[in-house]
Amino acid sequence: MNRAKVVFLGAPGTGKGTQAKKLSAKFGLPHVSTGDILRDAVKKGTEQGLKAKAVMDRGDLVPDEVILGIVENRLVKPDCAKGFLLDGFPRTLVQAEAFDKWDSVNCAIQIDVPDDVLVKRLVLRRTCPLCAAMYHLEYQPPRSQGVCDKCGTALVQREDDREDVVKSRFQVYMEKTEPLIGYYRQKDVLHNVNGNRDVETVFSEIVQIVEAVGEMNDEG
Ligand code: AMP
């Protein structure tokens, strides 16, 4: 797999993180989630984390220059030399254009799921604050109620998975991030995937897409 530079597009809850983690395990490409990096900064109480927390809790976007700094620092690390899986970045045209100046995406995967399904996915989602494992109270409950299967930590609901915040995240997505679909379509790297199916079915379709991109790069 050579230089697969993948970005995941899709509203909150479409499964970008889940699919990116699985792809990362399969292909050995780093999963770069700006949301995870920010949540880690919040947990560590760094200055950047403290500033970002209020913005994240209300479902708004962290300023472009902060995000661009985070991504630039991450992508210069040696593990990104062979390619990367970007999850949650870019989220604005400014971010996409800035990114294109220092590297370029060769595969944009847009995951589509109807809005009503997404709301249910997000408000019933629970996460482990320690190991970041995800659960769903209806479809994938933990074995023992309220406790992470993997590390035994008490599960929490992300602040931004509360129903009122979820609505503003969708609004922000439609206004700021959806235009990126057209941006990557124009660059001829866009792939659309129906995300309203079970995780494994969606995954096998994404694997085929990424393998095809990798083969193209191997030949070139
Ligand atoms: P996520 O886990 O990707 O849903 O991100 C959680 C929150 O982190 C978002 O609602 C934003 O507040 C912030 N965030 C993550 N990535 C970005 C980005 N690329 N641009 C701006 N804000 C971001």
Side-chain angles (χ1 to χ4, degrees):
M1 179 63 52
N2 203 4
R3 298 292 287 158
K5 296 182 279 185
V6 181
V7 15
F8 282 94
L9 297 172
T14 43
K16 301 184 296 290
T18 303
Q19 296 294 338
K21 273 190 203 119
K22 286 173 72 67
L23 264 191
S24 170
K26 182 168 175 74
F27 292 127
L29 293 169
H31 169 208
V32 177
S33 156
T34 40
D36 282 352
I37 295 172
L38 288 166
R39 277 184 290 277
D40 199 45
V42 171
K43 210 158 48 179
K44 288 185 180 135
T46 65
E47 199 187 322
Q48 188 177 63
L50 293 176
K51 277 195 197 143
K53 186 174 185 322
V55 178
M56 293 167 76
D57 284 354
R58 61 171 190 265
D60 231 328
L61 293 186
V62 171
D64 289 329
E65 59 277 13
V66 174
I67 296 291
L68 288 167
I70 288 176
V71 173
E72 197 169 7
N73 279 338
R74 179 65 188 87
L75 294 189
V76 292
K77 301 222 166 107
D79 63 333
C80 291
K82 266 181 67 188
F84 40 77
L85 309 167
L86 290 173
D87 160 19
F89 174 91
R91 257 182 161 94
T92 64
L93 274 174
V94 170
Q95 292 177 14
E97 283 165 358
F99 183 73
D100 272 346
K101 293 204 175 106
W102 80 77
D103 207 335
S104 61
V105 163
N106 54 22
C107 177
I109 297 176
Q110 183 212 346
I111 309 182
D112 258 337
V113 178
D115 283 1
D116 55 328
V117 177
L118 289 181
V119 174
K120 203 166 171 205
R121 276 192 191 177
L122 289 168
V123 297
L124 295 181
R125 180 160 81 170
R126 296 294 179 271
T127 57
C128 173
L130 194 66
C131 73
M134 298 245 198
Y135 300 87
H136 187 277
L137 295 184
E138 198 172 311
Y139 307 127
Q140 201 197 339
R143 281 195 293 275
S144 149
Q145 199 187 343
V147 178
C148 179
D149 292 349
K150 294 184 183 145
C151 68
T153 306
L155 300 176
V156 295
Q157 181 178 38
R158 267 170 53 172
E159 274 305 311
D160 59 353
D161 280 347
R162 292 191 341 251
E163 195 162 353
D164 51 330
V165 185
V166 162
K167 294 208 168 115
S168 41
R169 287 166 72 199
F170 282 164
Q171 193 66 33
V172 168
Y173 174 78
M174 276 183 332
E175 276 169 27
K176 308 263 175 65
T177 312
E178 223 168 40
L180 295 182
I181 295 172
Y183 180 83
Y184 288 116
R185 185 179 292 122
Q186 263 190 351
K187 292 186 178 289
D188 218 14
V189 294
L190 185 73
H191 301 266
N192 190 279
V193 174
N194 170 8
N196 196 15
R197 298 173 295 171
D198 67 273
V199 170
E200 291 307 325
T201 309
V202 176
F203 182 58
S204 60
E205 191 172 327
I206 292 177
V207 166
Q208 282 178 19
I209 295 169
V210 174
E211 274 175 348
V213 169
E215 276 163 25
M216 247 161 38
N217 288 338
D218 289 342
E219 283 160 16

